[in-house]
């Protein structure tokens, strides 16, 4: 099946219309008409070839909301007409210890997990293509149920990456009542981090380089907001945070944040800049038994848990709707930290 898509032919060519092939639904597959797709900074890193191993042409997009158009004979959880989501993964080995634990994003099978875009299709070596397209076919194990109300569907799309990438570490490091949690970088991921940490009951502190975002960060759920370039404001939070979620998409000084952790505190990096951060000071970690960690998206079961939690609590992303023709302009604004707070593409314009 040939479908319309938007993608990049090379690291230096802009996102432009193209045509890609999608498989017909096999026995365990769900065929989906895509309604909305969020724009993640990972899409930009990929389209510009900033991460190693990007294969072109590439069709980004892994915050997909759509409607089921057909299901294979062995599909049990979905039927035609259902509203569904697809996030960052479309397959994994389903046999390794990570897959057994429901953490498919850490699959240790021969090919690891299969990314929704720029992933290897097992056996063929072909590239996978993402959600900047009109349709996608996905194994039902990697399809999520969406129970948000119809008018919230576009704003629910970013939950499929920004939501789960912040939810998974917040849950793993037990953000909740009695915990002081920092969120660094108020973009797509960071604004979801604020909403989710607040909903989980933590005391939430936002750290931003953009003074213009201070009021927004409060409205998004932060109890306190710090402009991180202001050393005096930073010093007020020294040795006070149990957990910091760092979503920044560019290399920066990690020591300034490690200094804000309490004894035994952890800062988890989810931002994945194209070039490394300056190495943090070992002493800053030793004196306080502090941890620096990383976290990748989230497993399918915890993604469903997050989606259901958000539907129950009426949580969605703050979005700016765009057409496919506006993706390049959206990337330009993202590079200037000027997103309020996630772009979502309306695929009706395809
Ligand atoms: P985004 O919307 O562009 O937000 C990033 C935010 O980081 C900006 O809004 C800005 O916030 C801050 N920032 C940007 N440049 C900065 C700089 N030079 N110094 C300090 N702060 C800066 O991006 P996103 O979609 O949230 O993605 C963030 C990162 O996470 C990307 O690298 C992306 O690839 C990665 N990611 C990782 C995973 C994972 O599984 N680990 C999943 C998805 C995305 P302020 O204006 O508030 O400072
Ligand atoms: Zn993403
Ligand atoms: Zn596996």
């Amino acid at each position: 099946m040939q479908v319309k898509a938007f993608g990049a032919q090379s690291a230096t060519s802009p996102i432009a219309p193209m045509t890609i092939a999608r498989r017909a639904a096999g026995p365990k597959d769900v065929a989906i008409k895509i309604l909305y797709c969020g724009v993640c900074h990972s899409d930009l890193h990929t389209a510009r070839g900033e991460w190693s191993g990007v294969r072109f042409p590439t069709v980004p997009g892994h915050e997909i909301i759509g409607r089921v158009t057909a299901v294979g004979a062995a599909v049990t959880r979905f039927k035609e007409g259902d509203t569904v989501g697809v996030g960052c993964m479309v397959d994994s080995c389903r046999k390794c210890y990570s897959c057994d634990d429901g953490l498919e994003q850490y699959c240790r099978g021969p090919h690891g997990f299969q990314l929704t875009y720029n992933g290897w299709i097992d056996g063929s070596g072909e590239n996978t293509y993402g959600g900047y397209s009109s349709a996608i076919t996905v194994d039902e194990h990697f399809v999520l149920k969406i129970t948000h109300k119809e008018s919230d569907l576009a704003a629910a799309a970013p939950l499929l990456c920004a939501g789960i990438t912040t939810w998974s570490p917040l849950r793993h490091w037990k953000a909740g009542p009695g915990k002081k949690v920092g969120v660094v970088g108020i973009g797509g991921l960071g604004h979801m981090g604020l909403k989710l940490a607040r909903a989980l009951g933590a005391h939430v502190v936002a750290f931003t380089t953009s003074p213009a975002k201070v009021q927004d960060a409060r409205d998004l759920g932060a109890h306190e907001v710090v402009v991180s370039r202001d050393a005096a404001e930073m010093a007020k939070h020294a040795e006070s945070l149990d957990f910091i979620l760092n979503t920044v998409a560019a290399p920066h000084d990690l020591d300034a944040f490690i200094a804000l952790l309490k004894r035994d505190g952890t800062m988890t990096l989810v931002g994945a800049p194209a070039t490394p951060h300056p190495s943090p000071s070992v002493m800053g970690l030793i004196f306080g038994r502090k941890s620096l960690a990383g976290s990748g998206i989230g497993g399918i079961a915890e993604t469903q848990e997050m989606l259901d939690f958000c539907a129950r609590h009426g949580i969605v992303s703050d979005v700016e709707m765009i057409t496919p023709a506006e993706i390049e302009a959206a990337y330009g604004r993202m590079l200037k930290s000027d997103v309020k707070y996630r772009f979502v593409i309306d695929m009706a314009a395809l």
Side-chain angles (χ1 to χ4, degrees), residues 92-96 99 107-109:
S92 70
C93 85
R94 328 245 190 124
K95 295 188 197 95
C96 71
C99 287
C107 175
R108 289 296 179 260

Side-chain angles (χ1 to χ4, degrees), residues 16 52 65 148 258 308:
S52 64
I65 296 272
H148 282 78
I258 291 170
D308 295 346

Side-chain angles (χ1 to χ4, degrees), residues 14-343:
I15 298 285
M18 55 195 273
T19 302
I20 55 172
R22 294 293 193 197
R23 66 177 187 263
K28 291 185 165 176
D29 281 339
V30 178
I32 300 162
K33 172 186 158 61
I34 300 177
L35 301 174
Y36 305 107
C37 184
V39 177
C40 178
H41 206 114
S42 301
D43 301 353
L44 193 165
H45 290 308
T46 301
R48 301 292 193 249
E50 292 176 8
W51 288 339
S52 64
V54 177
R55 287 169 302 140
F56 291 93
T58 187
V59 175
H62 57 205
E63 294 182 337
I64 299 167
I65 296 272
R67 208 88 72 188
V68 175
T69 52
V71 296
V75 168
T76 57
R77 293 169 48 239
F78 300 98
K79 59 178 190 322
E80 196 182 328
D82 284 354
T83 304
V84 294
V86 177
C88 306
M89 315 182 266
V90 289
D91 209 355
S92 70
C93 85
R94 328 245 190 124
K95 295 188 197 95
C96 71
Y97 73 98
S98 291
C99 287
D100 280 349
D101 288 345
L103 296 170
E104 298 90 344
Q105 76 276 30
Y106 304 124
C107 175
R108 289 296 179 260
H111 307 289
F113 69 108
Q114 194 176 102
L115 287 162
T116 302
Y117 61 82
N118 201 46
W120 293 88
I121 298 177
D122 281 357
S124 71
E126 276 176 56
N127 203 355
T128 55
Y129 296 119
Y132 297 2
S133 57
S134 56
I136 191 167
T137 308
V138 181
D139 185 294
E140 76 163 325
H141 181 80
F142 290 84
V143 179
L144 287 310
K145 288 183 196 288
I146 302 293
T147 56
H148 282 78
K149 58 179 195 276
E150 192 72 18
S151 57
D152 275 349
L153 293 184
L159 300 178
L160 276 309
C161 175
I164 184 57
T165 303
T166 51
W167 173 266
S168 180
L170 287 168
R171 296 282 285 164
H172 183 74
W173 278 277
K174 302 189 167 41
K179 296 284 178 72
K180 185 173 170 185
V181 170
V183 177
V184 186
I186 310 307
L189 267 53
H191 96 288
M192 285 313 308
L194 294 180
K195 290 185 187 217
L196 294 173
R198 178 72 182 241
L200 288 167
H203 181 86
V204 185
V205 186
F207 294 90
T208 179
T209 58
S210 308
K213 292 182 186 172
V214 169
Q215 187 54 48
D216 285 358
R218 282 209 182 88
D219 298 342
L220 290 164
H223 295 93
E224 300 178 72
V225 186
V226 174
V227 176
S228 54
R229 292 192 169 131
D230 182 329
E233 271 192 57
M234 290 286 279
K236 286 184 199 154
H237 294 271
E239 298 270 341
S240 72
L241 287 141
D242 296 282
F243 179 65
I244 299 176
L245 184 64
N246 188 325
T247 76
V248 174
H252 62 281
D253 172 27
L254 301 179
D255 287 334
F257 295 103
I258 291 170
L260 307 188
L261 290 172
K262 258 163 74 171
R263 193 203 71 221
D264 293 321
T266 298
M267 176 158 74
T268 296
L269 307 177
V270 290
T275 52
H277 297 292
S279 176
S281 144
V282 174
M283 295 304 175
L285 296 168
I286 288 177
F287 291 101
R289 198 164 55 185
K290 299 176 183 181
S291 303
L292 186 60
S295 181
I297 50 174
I300 292 298
E302 61 181 338
T303 304
Q304 191 65 61
E305 176 194 64
M306 175 274 311
L307 287 166
D308 295 346
F309 176 92
C310 288
R312 267 199 318 278
H313 290 83
I315 297 174
V316 288
S317 193
D318 284 26
V319 301
E320 290 188 57
M321 299 304 296
I322 59 170
T323 64
E326 292 168 325
I327 296 169
E328 275 297 320
Y331 283 1
R333 280 188 48 199
M334 198 178 244
L335 285 172
K336 293 190 277 181
S337 301
D338 175 26
V339 189
K340 291 190 183 307
Y341 275 86
R342 194 61 137 187
F343 292 110

